[in-house]
Amino acid sequence: MAGESGPVTLRGIAERLGLHVSTVSRVLNGPSGEQGRAASGETARRIRELADELGYRPNPHATSLRTRRSNLVGVLFPRLSEIVVATIYEGVEEEATRRGLSTFVTNTHDDPATQRERIGMVLGRRVDGLIIGDAHLDGAALADPALDGTPFVLVNRRTDTGHPAVTCDDRLGGRRVAEHFLDLGHRRVAVIAGEPFASTGTDRTTGFTDRYREAGLPLPAHWVRHCGFDTAGGHRAAAELLSGPDRPTAIFAVNDLAAIGTMGAARDLGLRLGEDLALAGFNDTPLAAELPVPLTSVRSPMAEQGRRAVRLLLRRIAGEPVASEMLGPELVVRASSGAQIGPPPR
Amino acid sequence: MAGESGPVTLRGIAERLGLHVSTVSRVLNGPSGEQGRAASGETARRIRELADELGYRPNPHATSLRTRRSNLVGVLFPRLSEIVVATIYEGVEEEATRRGLSTFVTNTHDDPATQRERIGMVLGRRVDGLIIGDAHLDGAALADPALDGTPFVLVNRRTDTGHPAVTCDDRLGGRRVAEHFLDLGHRRVAVIAGEPFASTGTDRTTGFTDRYREAGLPLPAHWVRHCGFDTAGGHRAAAELLSGPDRPTAIFAVNDLAAIGTMGAARDLGLRLGEDLALAGFNDTPLAAELPVPLTSVRSPMAEQGRRAVRLLLRRIAGEPVASEMLGPELVVRASSGAQIGPPPR
DNA sequence: ACGATTGGCGCAAACGATTGGGTAGAGCAT
DNA sequence: ATGCTCTACCCAATCGTTTGCGCCAATCGT
């Protein structure tokens, strides 16, 4: 006899109580402080009581339709299966949930056509804003006029076009690795630089090479090799670097996966990590410490980037002025860079 | 002079054309085959033309409100930063996109309270169904009455409560590893079994131990150790297994991360993989092949699981009868199991 | 030539919530 | 008694679509 009226709606509650839906709406939306002048304290109590007895949940479609706010944000990443990205997303999700937002997250595989298509898709879903984690340096996909009305921020990667972004200070991270290698006496070093369109790779590379140049040891161009951000890419690039007669004594791989690929290549060539070859990665993923030869890596605050990106987006949505943020990296030295041994033979 | 009327709506189009919105709606929704009897071919053409000139995109909130269908699905996982999970999600996303669905994906950290809360959240968003990748064997969170009206399917993990699920044939995978170890002559073997509440871990373990029992070599209870599904958990469990005087000659870790943790523990004890200790993992993640000692692992079709889960859910939503699906695993032998060396010393 | 189709649209009522404007009555001062 | 201010509500429009029904004219059958 109680309720066989399908999902519980504002009207359902109002009718049961002999009130008008607007009254119910105001009570349920107003501050729970009794001082909301929407209704008498007594009425408000009855409304709230019935609402949660019935398990009332406002229909978000109706609300969004009316208010033109969806509390939805779109999140774009190259691929969530990469641990770095997944960890950033955990931060995004945590903060978004805390703020009452839901996220549409999607993989674009760094393909411009897919990027555009997915931007169109989330825009079609009427998101309030987007968090873009797959930006290319040229910012091409972000020039899409469809994006005009919708605020967005970047995360992990920045562009040259000055959009607000939350990133790690990648340049500084690369610099730290260079200093570490210099301290160890390495004069012939190479970089596995990742994809040329991603600021993460290029900035880390720049930071590293700048420091070596300052030390009077500029890197020859063929010792900066671009490759995919995965183990296979790292493997190939490292194999090329290491198979020549003139081989570097240390390699900086701009992310841990490429570093692991480098390990594979070194293994194939019979090179011992930390002895014949020093190696450093970037991101200090949980694997780094567990590898048979633990990996020296730059720790970057990934989840924190995600959280900050959400807050930054929220400020943009609110129309407040915003500025990009950079988080500090930290070098974690382990055996792969061979810190325990002396300078390499000349 | 053209359009300063904010977002383009059905009404906007209708007015410009001197038609009624219902006509426009029918034309735009009907099959693009000219044989839709919604309007004359000429009118239909004009409508479609203007619609995409203006870049019309139906407002999904309005549509969902009216049709009571959101084309949204909720996706629950323990943590997306685990590569296995992320890869399954890529399959989910790919298939969902193909079918015109969007997904809300969220991390529950295998915590029952969070699971319930997130189920409530996606339900509050009025999803059409959910894909649950964090099920516990007892199916506790799935008994939530709030779930009653909403169809769902499981992926990766099954429950004992018989909900439709898409999984890998984990038992068979474990069995394959056992057979491999038996072929190599290992008689004293241990399992790092993962979390006891996840069917992936328990089924792989059961498949393995069953086979050894059939061979007349039942495993002692203390050689089946539960632990977290990550490197740290694997490291701890392996350290315990390997530090006793009576140590197993082979270890089956039910996932690759635990296997990598095992590698770390072995390294700490000075044990050489493939010589002093045989090791196999599960999932054949991209890392497995690149490790300094390449990891023997069971390959499971992860993205395919995700795709199938979407299709299964769609069938449930359509009210068709559905059955669980199991995908075949495949053993990939590499150096960590020491296949190249003879039977271990007795 | 007249009733029956039917092609081509328009009408209006939903879907569930929000929100700017009432309005009735109570309480108070003048 | 009149005018005023609150309090505590109610009214109704609106957001953008979908969809059962109805209507008008042209066409058809006989």
Side-chain angles (χ1 to χ4, degrees):
Chain A
M1 179 141 290
E4 263 326 312
S5 35
V8 29
T9 130
L10 225 43
R11 189 148 70 101
I13 297 184
E15 272 168 8
R16 255 173 256 248
L17 257 30
L19 290 169
H20 194 266
V21 338
S22 63
T23 307
V24 179
S25 169
R26 272 184 260 257
V27 166
L28 259 21
N29 285 0
S32 56
E34 303 293 331
Q35 227 16 53
R37 48 215 333 119
S40 72
E42 170 59 12
T43 307
R45 200 189 47 71
R46 282 167 55 219
I47 291 177
R48 271 192 269 268
E49 223 163 56
L50 184 60
D52 68 51
E53 180 194 326
L54 262 39
Y56 170 73
R57 303 281 250 138
N59 182 317
H61 303 125
T63 303
S64 299
L65 180 59
R66 178 62 228 247
T67 62
R68 291 148 168 299
R69 213 196 191 258
S70 60
N71 291 311
L72 256 24
V73 335
V75 183
L76 268 54
F77 279 121
R79 34 185 37 219
L80 270 172
S81 56
E82 202 195 319
I83 176 120
V84 175
V85 167
T87 309
I88 294 175
Y89 177 67
E90 285 192 5
V92 168
E93 197 214 336
E94 180 194 323
E95 188 71 19
T97 303
R98 192 203 317 283
R99 309 300 186 107
L101 302 173
S102 300
T103 59
F104 287 122
V105 48
T106 172
N107 297 295
T108 64
H109 305 287
D110 267 323
D111 169 53
T114 310
Q115 289 175 329
R116 257 177 270 264
E117 178 213 319
R118 296 308 161 91
I119 286 179
M121 161 166 296
V122 296
L123 253 26
R125 283 286 180 181
R126 300 301 201 268
V127 296
D128 291 337
L130 15 191
I131 293 179
I132 295 185
D134 64 342
H136 287 198
L137 265 172
D138 61 12
L142 307 181
D144 191 335
L147 263 174
D148 277 358
T150 313
F152 62 88
V153 301
L154 313 183
V155 69
N156 195 37
R157 300 180 183 171
R158 61 174 188 81
T159 64
D160 279 333
T161 52
H163 295 291
V166 178
T167 57
C168 172
D169 190 339
D170 291 311
R171 212 173 285 233
L172 181 57
R175 193 175 186 84
R176 288 279 153 76
V177 175
E179 276 160 2
H180 178 54
F181 282 175
L182 283 168
D183 286 350
L184 295 172
H186 292 283
R187 306 175 63 84
R188 292 155 48 227
V189 298
V191 182
I192 294 181
E195 305 278 14
F197 52 70
S199 69
T200 45
T202 61
D203 285 355
R204 289 166 197 172
T205 301
T206 307
F208 183 90
T209 55
D210 280 0
R211 185 64 187 81
Y212 259 86
R213 182 174 311 112
E214 289 170 21
L217 298 163
L219 272 70
H222 68 283
W223 276 4
V224 175
R225 291 198 101 90
H226 290 282
C227 70
F229 278 129
D230 54 4
T231 51
H235 190 127
R236 249 195 317 277
E240 290 165 9
L241 283 171
L242 294 172
S243 56
D246 178 38
R247 101 175 16 136
T249 63
I251 291 182
F252 169 36
V254 299
N255 80 4
D256 281 0
L257 288 180
I260 290 174
T262 303
M263 288 185 167
R267 174 201 69 205
D268 291 351
L269 292 164
L271 297 173
R272 289 159 308 169
L273 242 43
E275 303 183 34
D276 307 317
L277 177 72
L279 176 65
F282 206 109
N283 285 134
D284 192 34
T285 52
L287 293 166
E290 296 296 336
L291 295 165
V293 179
L295 181 67
T296 292
S297 189
V298 177
R299 176 173 303 163
S300 67
M302 300 179 285
E304 178 64 14
Q305 273 188 57
R307 287 188 287 265
R308 286 189 189 224
V310 172
R311 295 198 287 264
L312 193 66
L313 178 61
L314 247 16
R315 268 179 274 137
R316 271 209 88 174
I317 290 177
E320 300 167 22
V322 301
S324 292
E325 302 180 16
M326 279 203 315
L327 277 50
E330 181 190 347
L331 181 69
V332 181
V333 176
R334 298 201 183 86
S336 74
S337 56
Q340 75 282 9
I341 62 172
R346 289 220 48 205
Chain B
M1 178 138 292
E4 265 324 316
S5 35
V8 30
T9 122
L10 269 189
R11 189 146 70 101
I13 298 183
E15 273 167 9
R16 252 174 258 249
L17 257 28
L19 290 170
H20 194 266
V21 336
S22 63
T23 307
V24 179
S25 169
R26 271 183 263 257
V27 166
L28 260 22
N29 284 1
S32 55
E34 302 293 331
Q35 228 17 51
R37 49 214 335 118
S40 73
E42 171 57 13
T43 307
R45 201 190 45 72
R46 284 166 55 219
I47 292 177
R48 270 191 270 268
E49 223 163 56
L50 184 61
D52 68 50
E53 178 194 327
L54 262 39
Y56 170 71
R57 303 282 249 135
N59 182 316
H61 303 125
T63 304
S64 299
L65 180 59
R66 178 61 227 248
T67 61
R68 294 149 168 298
R69 210 193 193 258
S70 60
N71 291 311
L72 255 26
V73 336
V75 183
L76 268 55
F77 279 120
R79 35 185 35 220
L80 268 173
S81 56
E82 202 196 319
I83 176 121
V84 175
V85 167
T87 308
I88 294 175
Y89 177 67
E90 284 192 4
V92 168
E93 197 214 336
E94 179 194 324
E95 188 71 20
T97 302
R98 194 203 315 283
R99 309 300 187 109
L101 302 174
S102 299
T103 59
F104 288 123
V105 47
T106 172
N107 296 296
T108 63
H109 306 285
D110 268 323
D111 169 52
T114 310
Q115 290 176 328
R116 257 177 270 264
E117 179 212 319
R118 297 308 161 92
I119 286 179
M121 161 166 295
V122 296
L123 254 24
R125 283 286 180 179
R126 302 300 201 266
V127 296
D128 290 337
L130 14 191
I131 293 180
I132 296 185
D134 64 342
H136 287 198
L137 265 173
D138 60 14
L142 307 180
D144 191 335
L147 263 174
D148 277 358
T150 313
F152 63 88
V153 301
L154 313 183
V155 69
N156 196 36
R157 299 180 182 171
R158 59 174 188 82
T159 64
D160 279 334
T161 51
H163 295 291
V166 178
T167 57
C168 173
D169 190 340
D170 291 311
R171 210 173 286 234
L172 180 57
R175 191 174 187 85
R176 288 279 152 77
V177 174
E179 276 159 2
H180 178 54
F181 282 174
L182 283 168
D183 285 350
L184 295 172
H186 291 283
R187 307 175 63 85
R188 292 158 44 230
V189 298
V191 182
I192 295 181
E195 305 278 14
F197 52 72
S199 69
T200 44
T202 60
D203 286 355
R204 290 166 196 171
T205 301
T206 307
F208 183 91
T209 55
D210 279 1
R211 184 64 187 81
Y212 259 87
R213 182 173 311 111
E214 288 170 20
L217 297 164
L219 272 71
H222 68 284
W223 276 3
V224 175
R225 291 197 102 89
H226 290 282
C227 70
F229 278 129
D230 54 4
T231 52
H235 190 128
R236 250 195 315 279
E240 290 166 10
L241 283 172
L242 294 172
S243 58
D246 179 37
R247 98 174 21 137
T249 63
I251 291 184
F252 169 37
V254 299
N255 80 3
D256 282 0
L257 288 180
I260 290 173
T262 302
M263 287 185 167
R267 174 200 69 204
D268 291 351
L269 292 165
L271 297 173
R272 288 160 308 171
L273 241 44
E275 303 183 33
D276 306 317
L277 177 71
L279 176 65
F282 207 109
N283 284 134
D284 192 35
T285 52
L287 293 166
E290 297 294 338
L291 295 165
V293 179
L295 181 66
T296 292
S297 190
V298 177
R299 176 173 302 164
S300 66
M302 300 180 284
E304 178 64 15
Q305 274 187 57
R307 287 188 287 263
R308 287 190 189 222
V310 173
R311 295 198 287 262
L312 193 66
L313 178 61
L314 247 17
R315 269 179 272 137
R316 270 209 90 174
I317 291 177
E320 300 167 22
V322 301
S324 292
E325 302 179 16
M326 279 203 318
L327 277 51
E330 181 190 346
L331 181 69
V332 181
V333 176
R334 298 200 184 88
S336 74
S337 56
Q340 76 282 10
I341 62 172
R346 289 221 44 209

